[in-house]
Amino acid sequence: MKGAFKSQLSVLALLILLCNSCSAGNPLQKEFGVDSEYFLGLTLLKSGQENEARSKFHRCIKKGSPQCVRKSYEILCTFGSVQEKNQAAIAYNEKYKDADSLLLAARQLKSAGEISKVIEITQNCNLIEDNNEVIKCRMESLAERKASSLDEEVFTWFMNRPISAEHYQFYRDTYEHPESPEDFTPRQFVLDYRIELYKRNYSYTAPAAITILDYFEKGTISPNTQLASDIGKACLFGSTNFAENATLFTQLAEQYKDTPLEYFMWFYAGRLFEKTEIYFQQSISSFEKAVQTAPSPAQKDTALWYLLVSSLSFSLETITQDIATYSRQWQDPVYFEDFFESLISRLLASGKWNAFGEIYKSIDGYASDLTVAQYAYIYGRLIQEKLARGTKEDAEKAFRRALRSSTSPYYKVLAAHQLGLSGQELEKTITTLELSPKKNEYKEANLDAEKLLKGYAYFGFPELIYPTWQKLYKNGISDETTFFLANFLNRCSTGNDDYYQQALRMSTKTLSNRTIPLSKEELMQIFPKNYSKYIEEYSEHYEVPNSIIYAMVRSESFFDPDIQSSAGAIGLTQLMEFTGSDIARKLKVQNYELTDPETNLHFGIYYLSELIRRCDGSLLQGFFSYNAGITRVRRWVQSSMIEFGKKEKMPVDLFLETVPYAETREYGRKLAGAAAMYAYLYNDDSDQAFNDIIGKMVSK
């Protein structure tokens, strides 16, 4: 595999050089045949030669492969006169007659004012299932023509699916309706009601819910599940009469027994009883009935999740048995991961150490791999700390179970460290990190799609690779091709464009369906050493392991120097402006820009090194301080030591589980797992480097 990988890169380098020429003698034309007409057309279009480009695209349409033919149709819709673009859009839709072609054609014809054509091509739209933007184009066109079918179609569209941005924009900007609710017909009232709920105008929708229920009672409006859900949300968030409303919903559940509305009434009765904070038994009973009447697996899981939360609020003593009972009923184990995540801190704070062993054994095969790994690893560590009952063999068995996890790098690498793995056993653990737990459902490679993507690389269009790959990767793009393209994008990157991030996202995405071990070369693309010049230099200067810094940058920014968080954190190491200013003062730097990669890395590495020093050398506590502030972390450590009865040396891996913010806990896990990967992949003595970095993570 390694030799083939290097050979592939050599071929790529040669082909990139060949791309400088688009002459008839270009070897790429022989490689791609008629499909080369599409790529050459793109080149001509880029240089402004529209007529020549159009000719190339039409040649490809006649004899090209399916993917390049479709792309040729699409590109013809984007240039030329309005008439030419309209004709191309109509031809494209007539050729493919699917959702994508219809959307493109509707957009083009609508923008060109061809209202009758929009109505014609959308005549057979499914108002309940089709793309909302297409339907919005249709409704706007019907409104402009004052079509008699408009009101009926609008009502169908609004009543049978969740309200979207397209619904709201159409209602606000186009649809004619009275200004005052007093002038609404019943149909107009419920349309407006749904829009007001979409806007979260709960002060209006909560009291107005009685009008909807009255319509149901009198048969003015047929009982509708979308409206039933809306009424539940309105009463939940727009009123404080929780007990009164909960009682009303139990009565409605009986009234609509054996109808699709029954589930929603029991579900919101449960939510409302839960809000009272005293009627937990009634809440549990309501959720149990919602589970029994759920019309779909997803809705059943939702009711089960709230049932578990209510059970936990009612009594921690019975939660182990409740989990064993309810876990046999759910469909999607991943949906319950956040419940189990929040339960960990509750169990630890209550000193229920043995519950971890009971839970991980009872949910194995029912909960997600991540959840089982969490509980198994914590149980093993609690045995080691002499807090939970169990033998050395019990702890080892728990660590072995965590090791089998397919989706939890953090618990897997920590379990490997606790077991003292090395050699082939450690290599097997590393190369199967984060693989999909699903059975390998082999999908034959889509050669046409792969040829299109490789063509973008060979003909010099790196900017088209990632957006096209995003649309096509589920249709049979092999991992080999994905890694090939990701490597190409990495080679194209200057460090100031998007190619590093695109390459990393592509490589990482392969893990979602991967069920076989990865090669070391593939793992290196998933954990790349971008910006190595600066990271190596400043890591050495501030005496921080470079694997820690690569992990931090990968987790913080995905190697994007221009990224800015909603909170205002900037650049590769996600520094706040005030933090950057303070660091600049300490380093005596007067002029700086946090989006500059070298500056950002220099400041971020210095800052992390200082936090680690102030945390007495604890890498994980340093990470937490970087994310949440050192004062908070010190307070959390003291609180955790009290919970665990420790007077000194709080085990850092157990401390992580008590951190009160899920975001900070996950931050620590990601960095620890990634740091272990970097240490293993990029050091000559992989085993020693791996165990050294994990040891530093959990030892203080």
Side-chain angles (χ1 to χ4, degrees), residues 243-287:
E244 181 181 333
N245 287 331
T247 301
L248 170 63
F249 273 81
T250 60
Q251 294 169 352
L252 290 168
E254 294 295 343
Q255 181 179 343
Y256 292 104
K257 188 175 179 61
D258 298 326
T259 75
L261 270 65
E262 183 181 4
Y263 163 81
F264 294 95
M265 301 309 179
W266 283 126
F267 176 75
Y268 282 106
R271 295 288 309 275
L272 289 159
F273 276 128
E274 186 180 47
K275 280 275 192 178
T276 66
E277 299 184 353
I278 55 174
Y279 294 115
F280 289 116
Q281 193 58 60
Q282 290 89 333
S283 175
I284 291 170
S285 176
S286 297
F287 285 131

Side-chain angles (χ1 to χ4, degrees), residues 111-163:
S111 67
E114 294 287 345
I115 303 306
S116 297
K117 270 293 182 183
V118 173
I119 295 172
E120 180 183 334
I121 67 171
T122 59
Q123 184 64 43
N124 296 318
C125 271
N126 186 323
L127 300 175
I128 300 174
E129 298 178 0
D130 283 352
N131 183 289
N132 274 316
E133 186 179 349
V134 169
I135 298 172
K136 177 172 171 279
C137 283
R138 176 172 176 78
M139 297 306 161
E140 288 172 340
S141 299
L142 290 174
E144 190 167 336
R145 285 286 183 266
K146 300 188 183 301
S148 59
S149 64
L150 175 64
D151 288 340
E152 191 63 37
E153 292 194 30
V154 166
F155 192 75
T156 300
W157 182 35
F158 271 65
M159 286 298 104
N160 291 283
R161 58 199 303 174
I163 297 297

Side-chain angles (χ1 to χ4, degrees), residues 41 44 135 158 222 241-242 252 300 380 402 423 469 489 526 654 659:
L44 290 166
I135 298 172
F158 271 65
S222 297
N241 298 324
F242 301 126
L252 290 168
K300 183 176 182 178
W469 176 87
L489 289 176
I526 295 170
L654 292 179
V659 169

Side-chain angles (χ1 to χ4, degrees), residues 538 542 583 586-587 601-611:
Y538 292 112
Y542 291 112
I583 294 170
K586 291 178 180 178
L587 295 176
L601 288 167
H602 182 188
F603 284 20
I605 294 170
Y606 164 79
Y607 183 48
L608 179 62
S609 70
E610 284 295 292
L611 290 172

Side-chain angles (χ1 to χ4, degrees), residues 403 409-423 425-427 429-430 433 547 672-697:
L403 199 65
Y410 173 74
Y411 294 104
K412 197 166 184 175
V413 298
L414 262 63
H417 175 73
Q418 295 294 346
L419 292 165
L421 300 189
S422 61
E425 195 171 12
L426 180 57
E427 180 181 358
T429 298
I430 295 297
L433 282 175
S547 59
M677 292 299 295
Y678 276 106
Y680 183 86
L681 291 170
Y682 293 101
N683 286 280
D684 293 334
D685 190 345
S686 299
D687 292 5
Q688 187 64 45
F690 171 86
N691 281 294
D692 281 351
I693 202 70
I694 291 299
K696 290 176 182 177
M697 287 282 183

